[in-house]
Amino acid sequence: MVRRRAHRGRWCIAAIVSSALAIGLYQLWLLWPSLVVASIQWQREVNAQLADLLYDAKANPLIAGGYLAGFSFLYGMLHSLGPGHGKVIVTTYLATHPTKVKASLMLTVISALCQALVAIVLVSVLVWGFSASMRAVNQKAMIFVSLSFALVAVLGALICWKAIKHIYYSMRHSKLQVMALTPLSAQSPDETGQLALKSAAHSSAQPFAGKPSLAQNHHHHYEGCGCGHQHVADAEAINRASTWREYVGIVATIGIRPCTGAIMVLLFANMVGMYWMGVISAVVMAAGTALTTSLIAMMTLTGKHLVKRYLMAGNNNSSKAGWKLTGYYLQFFGGILLMIIGLLLMGGQDYGISPVFSV
């Protein structure tokens, strides 16, 4: 009775927190137009400051270049605090999938560096290879942005498909329960039969020493027989391979979109004849972005583990199995969320939705 009341109390607190979070998100949606206007004004001021630092770096590369690197790092940190589809992908995946801290940091850092590298390669090829204008560079960059939005929907579909398979197998085998456990002897039946065959062969082969017996060379293979061969595929290895494929998909989805700040600073640096300084600034900017997104990822994992520990406190093994199935449903809904975001991003300009995920 006491446990049931505690369980109801946890669910009530979880419902209150979820309601407060939903109200906060709705208020953010209402205030978003004014935030976008303030963000555009701040972006213009930052662009002018970066251009001035690049002009100063031409006359004094060491001092002005150091200020440019520091300002680029700060710009990357502050720019990544704003909403973006990369942070939505990372937070959705980390909140709905069992992920370790090391893997989460690798996702955020590699994704940020890929965005900077794509911007560097894009601007270098178009400016140095084809002598393209700033307008042409922006048009080509929008192609990569559209491809990134399409990959968001594809990634969501793949996550949904994986979650559906897990849910199907869990519901299919949910009726299999262990009713009793019978202790076994230290030796398996295969080992007992093998020893019997060896002893019989040894006794019968005494007069015929030097003639090999078939029973002596016979070996029964089973899981854990100790022969050194892997007879059964490891479930952890299969899950690990699937997880790494998802990681590659997430990095490709985020990293294929070039960083707009990196493109801007590269174009300004090319105008003043300090392109190598622009490349360094773009990489430092990616480091600032990686720091902020890593902090967001850590907060997401910490919040998820706290909620999980709070809701699973005092539960038995059967309820833990139910929570595992609930995790698969969360993965399914997370995939649906990514699909919806990807579709809205691809058609956002046509339908005039709030640009909460596109800045």
Side-chain angles (χ1 to χ4, degrees), residues 201-325:
H202 178 72
S203 60
S204 62
Q206 285 280 343
F208 305 101
K211 292 185 178 180
S213 175
L214 181 62
Q216 290 177 346
N217 298 329
H218 184 70
H219 177 68
H220 294 277
H221 294 279
Y222 59 92
E223 185 178 5
C225 62
C227 68
H229 299 282
Q230 185 177 1
H231 308 294
V232 182
D234 189 4
E236 285 293 330
I238 297 175
N239 188 23
R240 196 181 304 116
S242 176
T243 304
W244 276 108
R245 286 195 295 267
E246 292 178 356
Y247 289 168
V248 172
I250 291 173
V251 171
T253 303
I254 300 173
I256 199 175
R257 183 184 188 273
C259 178
T260 55
I263 292 177
M264 174 197 64
V265 74
L266 287 170
L267 291 175
F268 285 162
N270 183 64
M271 290 176 60
V272 299
M274 299 284 291
Y275 190 74
W276 62 273
M277 187 71 71
V279 173
I280 296 176
S281 177
V283 175
V284 174
M285 195 179 297
T289 302
L291 177 61
T292 302
T293 52
S294 297
L295 292 176
I296 295 174
M298 294 294 295
M299 289 188 293
T300 302
L301 289 177
T302 303
K304 183 181 72 173
H305 289 312
L306 289 176
V307 172
K308 185 177 179 180
R309 287 182 57 184
Y310 179 77
L311 294 178
M312 293 186 65
N315 293 330
N316 52 20
N317 293 329
S318 60
S319 59
K320 290 181 180 179
W323 279 112
K324 188 175 182 180
L325 182 61

Side-chain angles (χ1 to χ4, degrees), residues 65-89:
Y67 281 118
L68 177 63
F71 192 80
S72 298
F73 185 81
L74 182 63
Y75 173 83
M77 290 182 57
L78 297 178
H79 181 70
S80 58
L81 285 175
H85 79 291
K87 289 176 287 295
V88 173
I89 295 172

